[in-house]
Amino acid sequence: MTKNPFARAVPAALLGAVLSASALTLPARADIKDYHFQLVQQEAKVGEAVVAVRLVDRRTGKAVPDAVIFAKRLDMAPDSMEEMVTKLEQVPSTEPGIYRFKAKLSMAGGWRLSLGAKVQGETGTVEDRLVFQAVK
């Protein structure tokens, strides 16, 4: 029985062609640094307030929906009062890529919103610190 030297080469070549073609159709993966949060408004009223942020893909400028916000903190670090913290409650948003948080802003001044989030399909954590003003 003679062995055909191409018997193994042809399937291997076909497999290589299929893998190469599928690699060309895979979406390009982003670096986690390609994402960042932006404040929707730079000011909020003292008292019960809703702070809205947009998660943006820097490469496209588009809002990123369905991220999982797992870390959030709101304090007055911009006014040298980092120990002045208030509770944050994430509330539903009607716009994709907009994330809303309800908080009680006890006094006027600078507030820092610190967020940590996971973007669907990406490795790593988006972390941002945003500063806004509470006004009377």
Side-chain angles (χ1 to χ4, degrees):
M1 179 170 167
T2 58
K3 295 192 178 201
N4 184 344
F6 298 107
R8 289 187 187 167
V10 171
L14 289 174
L15 179 61
V18 168
L19 291 176
S20 294
S22 66
L24 294 175
T25 60
L26 291 176
R29 303 249 334 157
D31 187 294
I32 204 65
K33 292 181 177 108
D34 289 331
Y35 301 97
H36 70 109
F37 284 100
Q38 298 173 339
L39 288 166
V40 172
Q41 295 181 315
Q42 300 297 315
E43 292 184 345
K45 292 276 189 189
V46 170
E48 293 293 326
V50 174
V51 179
V53 297
R54 178 180 296 110
L55 180 57
V56 177
D57 183 333
R58 294 177 200 265
R59 299 166 302 160
T60 64
K62 293 184 179 178
V64 179
D66 304 322
V68 177
I69 311 291
F70 66 89
K72 51 193 177 285
R73 176 184 165 97
L74 186 57
D75 60 46
M76 289 195 77
D79 286 354
S80 301
M81 293 186 280
E82 192 167 354
E83 68 284 349
M84 181 75 136
V85 178
T86 191
K87 290 182 183 178
L88 270 177
E89 177 187 345
Q90 190 167 353
V91 294
S93 178
T94 57
E95 298 177 66
I98 303 291
Y99 303 87
R100 297 167 25 110
F101 304 93
K102 184 168 69 171
K104 184 173 184 179
L105 304 176
S106 56
M107 61 189 297
W111 288 83
R112 177 180 66 184
L113 175 62
S114 302
L115 297 170
K118 293 287 188 183
V119 174
Q120 302 296 324
E122 299 294 348
T123 303
T125 301
V126 178
E127 295 180 7
D128 251 320
R129 292 180 173 186
L130 307 169
V131 175
F132 66 92
Q133 291 295 311
V135 295
K136 293 185 178 190

